[in-house]
Amino acid sequence: MNIDAALVERLEQRKQQQLYRDRLIVDSPQGREVIIDGQYYLSFCSNDYLGLANHPEVAADLRQAAQDFGVGSGASHLVSGHSRVHCQLEDELAQYTGRERALLFSSGYMANIGVIVALLGRGDTVLQDRLNHASLLDGGLVSRAKLVRYKHNDLSDLNFRLSQVQSGKKLIAVDGVFSMDGDIAPLDQLSSLADSAHAWLMVDDAHGLGVLGANGGGTTEHYGLSQADVPILMGTLGKAFGVSGAFVAGSSALIETLIQYARSYIYTTAMPSVLAAAILRSLKVARSESWRREKLNRLIERFRCGASQLGLSLLPSKTPIQPIVLGDAEKTVQAGKRLKEKGLLVGIIRPPTVPNGSARLRITLSAAHEMSDVDKLLDGLEGLADG
Ligand SMILES: *Cc1c(COP(=O)(O)O)cnc(C)c1O
């Protein structure tokens, strides 16, 4: 069979399983509303939790940085692409997270791969929660360490699996807030367990940073855990911080190791300085404007209260990620379409992003929303519980 015939056959299969993915084309900034095909939609599917993706001061600093530094970074960080602004941002991120140092990556996907590849190799073991993000799983695969998955948030399963590891280094890698379920990992217990099992602990806080903790320090701030408790902290800059990119924070030895050995750090062009300048501003806004987190919590409470009155079953999530699990992929696609016809945009999430039989609407809230937006969403969801 020639290549296209083979590919088309596989694509057709995916369509028949109701798992085919399409992209929307957005003609506006991210915000409470987006424009698609000339229509306004209330958006409940971005990860712009604090409403910073279109913040005027963040955009102004980006424009100014384009004047000062140009656009392209020209080379990788290790050659000549590492600018003064990157350096400032790394210092700010270390301070924000209460870690000794931080290192920028171009994306969270690359940061996760880079860390695991730099720390582990053949003969080592990486233990991961079953619901971890794909990038952590891929990092485990690329590293050639043994990949062991434990039951979601199940400490005794993890403990048992740790006890089975005979030799080599052990790394426990976990999402701080699970991206498709919205629940928070029991990091305090994971930290004690890692300690007693002589395992290293890595947290991917893509959805906790900016959102959890009084200062938006994320899941580690939520639990009051220091660098000694959680030695490897990964955070992303394209979600609550509204821009793009990611970082790893931890000890100086960790950061130096990543600079030497993280291939996804070394062999790629540095993030443009304009983005680093924009992130510096969005970090300031995220930290100082705690009203954004307070408002978000009120929106979450309103949504959960209203949804349970509609008889919808929610997951135990205290975060802006509020999924409604419908199970069947086709049913989920149809429910998403009906909401879109009502001007409401929600995430339609199907396998393999989530386990088979757990397709869901992934609703995300943002400080950019108003209470009345949540009420409109609830109106749109009415009747969903009855099938
Ligand atoms: C989004 C996400 C990533 C990837 O981050 P990007 O910067 O978008 O590549 C990694 N981990 C988790 C848990 C995520 O939700």
Side-chain angles (χ1 to χ4, degrees):
M1 213 188 291
N2 82 15
I3 177 168
D4 282 347
L7 297 183
V8 166
E9 189 175 300
R10 185 149 163 258
L11 291 170
E12 281 304 322
Q13 266 175 14
R14 188 162 260 226
K15 274 183 195 158
Q16 271 156 25
Q17 296 166 323
Q18 301 290 327
L19 299 179
Y20 202 80
R21 269 96 161 138
D22 272 315
R23 298 172 305 171
L24 299 168
I25 300 175
V26 178
D27 285 307
S28 64
Q30 292 293 325
R32 52 181 286 276
E33 286 186 316
V34 292
I35 302 173
I36 296 164
D37 293 331
Q39 304 260 32
Y40 281 91
Y41 292 90
L42 265 179
S43 168
F44 295 96
C45 51
S46 90
N47 302 310
D48 178 24
Y49 302 124
L50 298 178
L52 299 180
N54 186 33
H55 191 284
E57 289 172 24
V58 175
D61 280 15
L62 185 142
R63 277 193 297 275
Q64 182 60 48
Q67 297 279 321
D68 298 343
F69 300 96
V71 178
S73 61
S76 67
H77 283 281
L78 295 196
V79 178
S80 64
H82 191 62
S83 75
R84 179 66 56 196
V85 194
H86 292 130
C87 194
Q88 279 173 355
L89 177 55
E90 289 180 343
D91 290 347
E92 280 297 319
L93 286 166
Q95 219 202 16
Y96 194 101
T97 54
R99 264 62 186 164
E100 218 174 312
R101 281 182 67 187
L103 185 74
L104 284 173
F105 281 79
S106 295
S107 75
Y109 190 95
M110 291 168 75
N112 280 340
I113 302 228
V115 169
I116 301 177
V117 165
L119 299 184
L120 303 185
R122 246 186 252 284
D124 298 327
T125 305
V126 56
L127 300 104
Q128 303 210 20
D129 189 291
R130 266 186 201 281
L131 297 190
N132 272 0
H133 192 261
S135 55
L136 282 173
L137 297 170
D138 290 359
L141 295 174
V142 176
S143 74
R144 298 174 199 203
K146 183 168 180 210
L147 176 59
V148 174
R149 299 174 79 181
Y150 62 89
K151 286 188 200 136
H152 180 51
N153 283 346
D154 187 333
L155 278 281
S156 63
D157 189 39
L158 172 58
N159 197 22
F160 170 72
R161 289 169 191 275
L162 277 165
S163 73
Q164 300 297 101
V165 181
Q166 306 291 350
S167 61
K169 297 190 274 278
K170 291 171 279 189
L171 173 70
I172 302 168
V174 67
D175 285 17
V177 171
F178 289 88
S179 55
M180 297 298 137
D181 286 47
D183 55 337
I184 305 172
L187 265 199
D188 47 349
Q189 298 172 61
L190 283 166
S191 165
S192 321
L193 188 54
D195 216 29
S196 58
H198 304 293
W200 299 342
L201 178 61
M202 167 180 189
V203 175
D204 169 345
D205 211 17
H207 300 277
L209 269 168
V211 173
L212 297 178
N215 302 302
T219 311
T220 54
E221 188 187 349
H222 174 82
Y223 285 110
L225 298 173
S226 67
Q227 179 176 303
D229 304 312
V230 178
I232 310 162
L233 173 62
M234 194 287 281
T236 60
L237 302 166
K239 288 171 178 158
F241 296 129
V243 186
S244 182
F247 68 95
V248 177
S251 69
S252 187
L254 173 71
I255 299 308
E256 284 301 320
T257 300
L258 296 178
I259 295 172
Q260 307 305 319
Y261 298 107
R263 294 167 64 89
S264 60
Y265 179 75
I266 300 166
Y267 298 108
T268 196
T269 301
M271 155 200 292
S273 292
V274 284
L275 296 187
I279 296 160
L280 271 172
R281 173 62 59 183
S282 80
L283 278 184
K284 285 203 178 81
V285 177
R287 176 146 55 177
S288 62
E289 298 190 1
S290 50
W291 64 262
R292 292 177 188 271
R293 280 177 287 281
E294 288 152 18
K295 183 177 178 195
L296 193 48
N297 285 327
R298 288 195 302 275
L299 292 161
I300 294 167
E301 205 172 307
R302 180 119 163 183
F303 174 77
R304 288 186 65 85
C305 180
S308 68
Q309 278 168 8
L310 292 176
L312 294 167
S313 54
L314 294 168
L315 294 182
S317 163
K318 295 186 174 87
T319 68
I321 302 167
Q322 293 293 329
I324 299 176
V325 177
L326 300 177
D328 181 61
E330 153 114 66
K331 190 174 163 191
T332 308
V333 172
Q334 293 309 326
K337 268 193 192 152
R338 277 197 300 276
L339 288 169
K340 189 166 176 233
E341 284 159 14
K342 296 176 191 168
L344 301 162
L345 217 55
V346 303
I348 299 169
I349 308 291
R350 292 163 287 172
T353 307
V354 290
N356 279 326
S358 73
R360 65 197 65 186
L361 300 176
R362 179 177 183 268
I363 289 163
T364 48
L365 298 165
S366 163
H369 288 130
E370 297 304 332
M371 289 296 167
S372 58
D373 297 335
V374 173
D375 294 342
K376 281 182 202 148
L377 173 64
L378 289 166
D379 284 346
L381 289 170
E382 206 165 340
L384 187 64
D386 318 316

